[in-house]
Amino acid sequence: MAAGVGALSPRSVSRYLAWRIRPESAENTEPKIHQFACTSCPTDSLEGTGVASEDFESARGWIYLHLAKFPEHTGYRESVTRHWRADLLPGPVPATMPVAPRVLP
């Protein structure tokens, strides 16, 4: 490998970094989005996918509409889109914390 970005050398230092990973809580964060899909319909079917909504009950309500048309379709899958934040924690890595290695130049 050529010297440069990402190249390891005898002077490289490896250390572990502690990260806290949590749902995003900033005020300007996009809201969580719920969407349901019928597991009996083909995956590329528009009719088998409900509307995406910030409101869980509105998203879930689509299932009842779908059941009215297809009473034999009884399996559904929920997809949730939620934004997450990773913060680098200062100080040493606690022994019980999952860590991500990072090679420093």
PDB file of all heavy atoms in Angstrom, residues 22-51:
ATOM      1  N   ARG A  22     -26.822   7.218  20.541  1.00  0.00           N
ATOM      2  CA  ARG A  22     -28.159   7.420  21.105  1.00  0.00           C
ATOM      3  C   ARG A  22     -29.054   8.049  20.053  1.00  0.00           C
ATOM      4  O   ARG A  22     -28.573   8.622  19.080  1.00  0.00           O
ATOM      5  CB  ARG A  22     -28.073   8.317  22.330  1.00  0.00           C
ATOM      6  CG  ARG A  22     -27.474   9.666  22.022  1.00  0.00           C
ATOM      7  CD  ARG A  22     -27.192  10.468  23.290  1.00  0.00           C
ATOM      8  NE  ARG A  22     -26.373  11.627  22.999  1.00  0.00           N
ATOM      9  CZ  ARG A  22     -26.833  12.797  22.567  1.00  0.00           C
ATOM     10  NH1 ARG A  22     -28.111  12.964  22.344  1.00  0.00           N
ATOM     11  NH2 ARG A  22     -26.024  13.801  22.338  1.00  0.00           N
ATOM     12  N   PRO A  23     -30.366   7.949  20.248  1.00  0.00           N
ATOM     13  CA  PRO A  23     -31.267   8.647  19.321  1.00  0.00           C
ATOM     14  C   PRO A  23     -30.978  10.143  19.344  1.00  0.00           C
ATOM     15  O   PRO A  23     -30.670  10.714  20.390  1.00  0.00           O
ATOM     16  CB  PRO A  23     -32.660   8.350  19.879  1.00  0.00           C
ATOM     17  CG  PRO A  23     -32.496   7.082  20.642  1.00  0.00           C
ATOM     18  CD  PRO A  23     -31.105   7.156  21.232  1.00  0.00           C
ATOM     19  N   GLU A  24     -31.060  10.762  18.188  1.00  0.00           N
ATOM     20  CA  GLU A  24     -30.826  12.207  18.076  1.00  0.00           C
ATOM     21  C   GLU A  24     -31.875  12.957  18.878  1.00  0.00           C
ATOM     22  O   GLU A  24     -33.055  12.619  18.831  1.00  0.00           O
ATOM     23  CB  GLU A  24     -30.880  12.625  16.608  1.00  0.00           C
ATOM     24  CG  GLU A  24     -30.675  14.091  16.356  1.00  0.00           C
ATOM     25  CD  GLU A  24     -29.310  14.596  16.769  1.00  0.00           C
ATOM     26  OE1 GLU A  24     -28.367  14.434  16.009  1.00  0.00           O
ATOM     27  OE2 GLU A  24     -29.205  15.148  17.882  1.00  0.00           O
ATOM     28  N   SER A  25     -31.447  13.968  19.619  1.00  0.00           N
ATOM     29  CA  SER A  25     -32.392  14.722  20.437  1.00  0.00           C
ATOM     30  C   SER A  25     -32.405  16.212  20.119  1.00  0.00           C
ATOM     31  O   SER A  25     -33.105  16.969  20.781  1.00  0.00           O
ATOM     32  CB  SER A  25     -32.052  14.522  21.921  1.00  0.00           C
ATOM     33  OG  SER A  25     -30.742  14.987  22.178  1.00  0.00           O
ATOM     34  N   ALA A  26     -31.664  16.633  19.110  1.00  0.00           N
ATOM     35  CA  ALA A  26     -31.644  18.055  18.762  1.00  0.00           C
ATOM     36  C   ALA A  26     -33.035  18.501  18.317  1.00  0.00           C
ATOM     37  O   ALA A  26     -33.803  17.730  17.738  1.00  0.00           O
ATOM     38  CB  ALA A  26     -30.629  18.315  17.656  1.00  0.00           C
ATOM     39  N   GLU A  27     -33.354  19.764  18.589  1.00  0.00           N
ATOM     40  CA  GLU A  27     -34.680  20.288  18.252  1.00  0.00           C
ATOM     41  C   GLU A  27     -34.985  20.242  16.760  1.00  0.00           C
ATOM     42  O   GLU A  27     -36.121  20.072  16.365  1.00  0.00           O
ATOM     43  CB  GLU A  27     -34.803  21.723  18.748  1.00  0.00           C
ATOM     44  CG  GLU A  27     -34.984  21.820  20.241  1.00  0.00           C
ATOM     45  CD  GLU A  27     -35.247  23.240  20.675  1.00  0.00           C
ATOM     46  OE1 GLU A  27     -35.759  24.043  19.864  1.00  0.00           O
ATOM     47  OE2 GLU A  27     -34.940  23.550  21.834  1.00  0.00           O
ATOM     48  N   ASN A  28     -33.966  20.405  15.927  1.00  0.00           N
ATOM     49  CA  ASN A  28     -34.190  20.449  14.479  1.00  0.00           C
ATOM     50  C   ASN A  28     -34.102  19.064  13.824  1.00  0.00           C
ATOM     51  O   ASN A  28     -34.072  18.954  12.616  1.00  0.00           O
ATOM     52  CB  ASN A  28     -33.207  21.413  13.816  1.00  0.00           C
ATOM     53  CG  ASN A  28     -31.766  20.993  14.032  1.00  0.00           C
ATOM     54  OD1 ASN A  28     -31.471  20.123  14.841  1.00  0.00           O
ATOM     55  ND2 ASN A  28     -30.866  21.620  13.317  1.00  0.00           N
ATOM     56  N   THR A  29     -34.094  18.006  14.625  1.00  0.00           N
ATOM     57  CA  THR A  29     -34.036  16.652  14.091  1.00  0.00           C
ATOM     58  C   THR A  29     -35.351  16.294  13.409  1.00  0.00           C
ATOM     59  O   THR A  29     -36.422  16.612  13.914  1.00  0.00           O
ATOM     60  CB  THR A  29     -33.774  15.637  15.221  1.00  0.00           C
ATOM     61  OG1 THR A  29     -32.568  15.983  15.856  1.00  0.00           O
ATOM     62  CG2 THR A  29     -33.690  14.231  14.694  1.00  0.00           C
ATOM     63  N   GLU A  30     -35.246  15.611  12.294  1.00  0.00           N
ATOM     64  CA  GLU A  30     -36.464  15.143  11.625  1.00  0.00           C
ATOM     65  C   GLU A  30     -37.167  14.136  12.532  1.00  0.00           C
ATOM     66  O   GLU A  30     -36.524  13.367  13.247  1.00  0.00           O
ATOM     67  CB  GLU A  30     -36.103  14.489  10.298  1.00  0.00           C
ATOM     68  CG  GLU A  30     -35.539  15.469   9.286  1.00  0.00           C
ATOM     69  CD  GLU A  30     -35.175  14.792   7.985  1.00  0.00           C
ATOM     70  OE1 GLU A  30     -35.871  13.834   7.594  1.00  0.00           O
ATOM     71  OE2 GLU A  30     -34.199  15.219   7.371  1.00  0.00           O
ATOM     72  N   PRO A  31     -38.483  14.107  12.525  1.00  0.00           N
ATOM     73  CA  PRO A  31     -39.209  13.188  13.407  1.00  0.00           C
ATOM     74  C   PRO A  31     -39.061  11.730  12.966  1.00  0.00           C
ATOM     75  O   PRO A  31     -38.708  11.445  11.822  1.00  0.00           O
ATOM     76  CB  PRO A  31     -40.660  13.644  13.276  1.00  0.00           C
ATOM     77  CG  PRO A  31     -40.723  14.353  11.979  1.00  0.00           C
ATOM     78  CD  PRO A  31     -39.356  14.951  11.740  1.00  0.00           C
ATOM     79  N   LYS A  32     -39.356  10.845  13.894  1.00  0.00           N
ATOM     80  CA  LYS A  32     -39.361   9.409  13.601  1.00  0.00           C
ATOM     81  C   LYS A  32     -40.497   9.138  12.617  1.00  0.00           C
ATOM     82  O   LYS A  32     -41.585   9.695  12.744  1.00  0.00           O
ATOM     83  CB  LYS A  32     -39.570   8.659  14.911  1.00  0.00           C
ATOM     84  CG  LYS A  32     -39.470   7.187  14.791  1.00  0.00           C
ATOM     85  CD  LYS A  32     -39.553   6.429  16.115  1.00  0.00           C
ATOM     86  CE  LYS A  32     -39.959   7.190  17.325  1.00  0.00           C
ATOM     87  NZ  LYS A  32     -40.128   6.350  18.512  1.00  0.00           N
ATOM     88  N   ILE A  33     -40.256   8.268  11.635  1.00  0.00           N
ATOM     89  CA  ILE A  33     -41.253   7.945  10.609  1.00  0.00           C
ATOM     90  C   ILE A  33     -41.582   6.453  10.692  1.00  0.00           C
ATOM     91  O   ILE A  33     -40.680   5.616  10.767  1.00  0.00           O
ATOM     92  CB  ILE A  33     -40.726   8.265   9.192  1.00  0.00           C
ATOM     93  CG1 ILE A  33     -40.315   9.734   9.065  1.00  0.00           C
ATOM     94  CG2 ILE A  33     -41.730   7.880   8.121  1.00  0.00           C
ATOM     95  CD1 ILE A  33     -41.458  10.710   9.187  1.00  0.00           C
ATOM     96  N   HIS A  34     -42.874   6.129  10.685  1.00  0.00           N
ATOM     97  CA  HIS A  34     -43.354   4.741  10.708  1.00  0.00           C
ATOM     98  C   HIS A  34     -43.971   4.410   9.357  1.00  0.00           C
ATOM     99  O   HIS A  34     -44.638   5.246   8.752  1.00  0.00           O
ATOM    100  CB  HIS A  34     -44.430   4.560  11.780  1.00  0.00           C
ATOM    101  CG  HIS A  34     -43.985   4.945  13.143  1.00  0.00           C
ATOM    102  ND1 HIS A  34     -43.368   4.067  13.998  1.00  0.00           N
ATOM    103  CD2 HIS A  34     -44.050   6.128  13.802  1.00  0.00           C
ATOM    104  CE1 HIS A  34     -43.086   4.688  15.127  1.00  0.00           C
ATOM    105  NE2 HIS A  34     -43.489   5.940  15.035  1.00  0.00           N
ATOM    106  N   GLN A  35     -43.751   3.165   8.924  1.00  0.00           N
ATOM    107  CA  GLN A  35     -44.381   2.696   7.690  1.00  0.00           C
ATOM    108  C   GLN A  35     -44.548   1.183   7.791  1.00  0.00           C
ATOM    109  O   GLN A  35     -43.652   0.477   8.262  1.00  0.00           O
ATOM    110  CB  GLN A  35     -43.526   3.053   6.472  1.00  0.00           C
ATOM    111  CG  GLN A  35     -44.194   2.710   5.155  1.00  0.00           C
ATOM    112  CD  GLN A  35     -43.399   3.227   3.968  1.00  0.00           C
ATOM    113  OE1 GLN A  35     -42.177   3.272   4.009  1.00  0.00           O
ATOM    114  NE2 GLN A  35     -44.088   3.630   2.927  1.00  0.00           N
ATOM    115  N   PHE A  36     -45.695   0.707   7.345  1.00  0.00           N
ATOM    116  CA  PHE A  36     -45.973  -0.725   7.375  1.00  0.00           C
ATOM    117  C   PHE A  36     -46.042  -1.264   5.948  1.00  0.00           C
ATOM    118  O   PHE A  36     -46.398  -0.547   5.020  1.00  0.00           O
ATOM    119  CB  PHE A  36     -47.303  -1.010   8.087  1.00  0.00           C
ATOM    120  CG  PHE A  36     -47.215  -0.858   9.567  1.00  0.00           C
ATOM    121  CD1 PHE A  36     -47.457   0.369  10.154  1.00  0.00           C
ATOM    122  CD2 PHE A  36     -46.874  -1.931  10.364  1.00  0.00           C
ATOM    123  CE1 PHE A  36     -47.377   0.525  11.532  1.00  0.00           C
ATOM    124  CE2 PHE A  36     -46.786  -1.789  11.741  1.00  0.00           C
ATOM    125  CZ  PHE A  36     -47.035  -0.561  12.329  1.00  0.00           C
ATOM    126  N   ALA A  37     -45.702  -2.555   5.818  1.00  0.00           N
ATOM    127  CA  ALA A  37     -45.797  -3.235   4.526  1.00  0.00           C
ATOM    128  C   ALA A  37     -46.400  -4.614   4.762  1.00  0.00           C
ATOM    129  O   ALA A  37     -46.150  -5.252   5.788  1.00  0.00           O
ATOM    130  CB  ALA A  37     -44.425  -3.358   3.875  1.00  0.00           C
ATOM    131  N   CYS A  38     -47.177  -5.053   3.805  1.00  0.00           N
ATOM    132  CA  CYS A  38     -47.794  -6.377   3.853  1.00  0.00           C
ATOM    133  C   CYS A  38     -46.764  -7.418   3.441  1.00  0.00           C
ATOM    134  O   CYS A  38     -46.114  -7.280   2.406  1.00  0.00           O
ATOM    135  CB  CYS A  38     -48.996  -6.412   2.909  1.00  0.00           C
ATOM    136  SG  CYS A  38     -49.753  -8.041   2.767  1.00  0.00           S
ATOM    137  N   THR A  39     -46.610  -8.471   4.256  1.00  0.00           N
ATOM    138  CA  THR A  39     -45.637  -9.515   3.920  1.00  0.00           C
ATOM    139  C   THR A  39     -46.190 -10.522   2.913  1.00  0.00           C
ATOM    140  O   THR A  39     -45.439 -11.353   2.411  1.00  0.00           O
ATOM    141  CB  THR A  39     -45.163 -10.251   5.191  1.00  0.00           C
ATOM    142  OG1 THR A  39     -46.303 -10.808   5.855  1.00  0.00           O
ATOM    143  CG2 THR A  39     -44.425  -9.311   6.120  1.00  0.00           C
ATOM    144  N   SER A  40     -47.480 -10.436   2.583  1.00  0.00           N
ATOM    145  CA  SER A  40     -48.070 -11.317   1.572  1.00  0.00           C
ATOM    146  C   SER A  40     -47.956 -10.734   0.171  1.00  0.00           C
ATOM    147  O   SER A  40     -47.962 -11.467  -0.811  1.00  0.00           O
ATOM    148  CB  SER A  40     -49.543 -11.577   1.877  1.00  0.00           C
ATOM    149  OG  SER A  40     -49.691 -12.239   3.101  1.00  0.00           O
ATOM    150  N   CYS A  41     -47.868  -9.411   0.072  1.00  0.00           N
ATOM    151  CA  CYS A  41     -47.767  -8.746  -1.229  1.00  0.00           C
ATOM    152  C   CYS A  41     -46.318  -8.774  -1.720  1.00  0.00           C
ATOM    153  O   CYS A  41     -45.393  -8.816  -0.911  1.00  0.00           O
ATOM    154  CB  CYS A  41     -48.228  -7.290  -1.115  1.00  0.00           C
ATOM    155  SG  CYS A  41     -49.994  -7.102  -0.848  1.00  0.00           S
ATOM    156  N   PRO A  42     -46.110  -8.717  -3.036  1.00  0.00           N
ATOM    157  CA  PRO A  42     -44.741  -8.625  -3.554  1.00  0.00           C
ATOM    158  C   PRO A  42     -44.037  -7.383  -2.989  1.00  0.00           C
ATOM    159  O   PRO A  42     -44.671  -6.349  -2.765  1.00  0.00           O
ATOM    160  CB  PRO A  42     -44.925  -8.496  -5.070  1.00  0.00           C
ATOM    161  CG  PRO A  42     -46.308  -8.996  -5.337  1.00  0.00           C
ATOM    162  CD  PRO A  42     -47.104  -8.738  -4.097  1.00  0.00           C
ATOM    163  N   THR A  43     -42.740  -7.477  -2.751  1.00  0.00           N
ATOM    164  CA  THR A  43     -42.003  -6.373  -2.116  1.00  0.00           C
ATOM    165  C   THR A  43     -42.009  -5.101  -2.956  1.00  0.00           C
ATOM    166  O   THR A  43     -41.886  -4.010  -2.410  1.00  0.00           O
ATOM    167  CB  THR A  43     -40.546  -6.767  -1.821  1.00  0.00           C
ATOM    168  OG1 THR A  43     -39.937  -7.213  -3.033  1.00  0.00           O
ATOM    169  CG2 THR A  43     -40.484  -7.854  -0.770  1.00  0.00           C
ATOM    170  N   ASP A  44     -42.150  -5.218  -4.268  1.00  0.00           N
ATOM    171  CA  ASP A  44     -42.159  -4.018  -5.119  1.00  0.00           C
ATOM    172  C   ASP A  44     -43.577  -3.497  -5.385  1.00  0.00           C
ATOM    173  O   ASP A  44     -43.782  -2.597  -6.182  1.00  0.00           O
ATOM    174  CB  ASP A  44     -41.434  -4.292  -6.438  1.00  0.00           C
ATOM    175  CG  ASP A  44     -42.073  -5.419  -7.239  1.00  0.00           C
ATOM    176  OD1 ASP A  44     -42.933  -6.133  -6.694  1.00  0.00           O
ATOM    177  OD2 ASP A  44     -41.689  -5.577  -8.410  1.00  0.00           O
ATOM    178  N   SER A  45     -44.563  -4.044  -4.673  1.00  0.00           N
ATOM    179  CA  SER A  45     -45.956  -3.653  -4.862  1.00  0.00           C
ATOM    180  C   SER A  45     -46.265  -2.364  -4.121  1.00  0.00           C
ATOM    181  O   SER A  45     -46.047  -2.259  -2.919  1.00  0.00           O
ATOM    182  CB  SER A  45     -46.870  -4.774  -4.350  1.00  0.00           C
ATOM    183  OG  SER A  45     -48.189  -4.317  -4.214  1.00  0.00           O
ATOM    184  N   LEU A  46     -46.787  -1.374  -4.835  1.00  0.00           N
ATOM    185  CA  LEU A  46     -47.210  -0.134  -4.189  1.00  0.00           C
ATOM    186  C   LEU A  46     -48.423  -0.377  -3.303  1.00  0.00           C
ATOM    187  O   LEU A  46     -48.575   0.246  -2.258  1.00  0.00           O
ATOM    188  CB  LEU A  46     -47.510   0.938  -5.227  1.00  0.00           C
ATOM    189  CG  LEU A  46     -46.317   1.462  -6.020  1.00  0.00           C
ATOM    190  CD1 LEU A  46     -46.770   2.471  -7.060  1.00  0.00           C
ATOM    191  CD2 LEU A  46     -45.298   2.091  -5.094  1.00  0.00           C
ATOM    192  N   GLU A  47     -49.275  -1.287  -3.719  1.00  0.00           N
ATOM    193  CA  GLU A  47     -50.490  -1.573  -2.957  1.00  0.00           C
ATOM    194  C   GLU A  47     -50.167  -2.262  -1.627  1.00  0.00           C
ATOM    195  O   GLU A  47     -50.918  -2.162  -0.667  1.00  0.00           O
ATOM    196  CB  GLU A  47     -51.431  -2.457  -3.780  1.00  0.00           C
ATOM    197  CG  GLU A  47     -52.802  -2.552  -3.201  1.00  0.00           C
ATOM    198  CD  GLU A  47     -53.797  -3.133  -4.187  1.00  0.00           C
ATOM    199  OE1 GLU A  47     -53.427  -4.038  -4.948  1.00  0.00           O
ATOM    200  OE2 GLU A  47     -54.943  -2.672  -4.183  1.00  0.00           O
ATOM    201  N   GLY A  48     -49.011  -2.931  -1.556  1.00  0.00           N
ATOM    202  CA  GLY A  48     -48.625  -3.648  -0.350  1.00  0.00           C
ATOM    203  C   GLY A  48     -47.803  -2.820   0.618  1.00  0.00           C
ATOM    204  O   GLY A  48     -47.305  -3.338   1.611  1.00  0.00           O
ATOM    205  N   THR A  49     -47.659  -1.525   0.351  1.00  0.00           N
ATOM    206  CA  THR A  49     -46.881  -0.649   1.226  1.00  0.00           C
ATOM    207  C   THR A  49     -47.744   0.518   1.667  1.00  0.00           C
ATOM    208  O   THR A  49     -48.321   1.217   0.845  1.00  0.00           O
ATOM    209  CB  THR A  49     -45.626  -0.113   0.489  1.00  0.00           C
ATOM    210  OG1 THR A  49     -44.874  -1.226   0.029  1.00  0.00           O
ATOM    211  CG2 THR A  49     -44.772   0.726   1.417  1.00  0.00           C
ATOM    212  N   GLY A  50     -47.795   0.722   2.975  1.00  0.00           N
ATOM    213  CA  GLY A  50     -48.602   1.804   3.523  1.00  0.00           C
ATOM    214  C   GLY A  50     -47.913   3.146   3.425  1.00  0.00           C
ATOM    215  O   GLY A  50     -46.747   3.244   3.019  1.00  0.00           O
ATOM    216  N   VAL A  51     -48.619   4.162   3.830  1.00  0.00           N
ATOM    217  CA  VAL A  51     -48.067   5.514   3.801  1.00  0.00           C
ATOM    218  C   VAL A  51     -47.099   5.694   4.966  1.00  0.00           C
ATOM    219  O   VAL A  51     -47.300   5.146   6.046  1.00  0.00           O
ATOM    220  CB  VAL A  51     -49.171   6.585   3.870  1.00  0.00           C
ATOM    221  CG1 VAL A  51     -50.062   6.522   2.642  1.00  0.00           C
ATOM    222  CG2 VAL A  51     -50.012   6.421   5.127  1.00  0.00           C
TER     223      VAL A  51
END
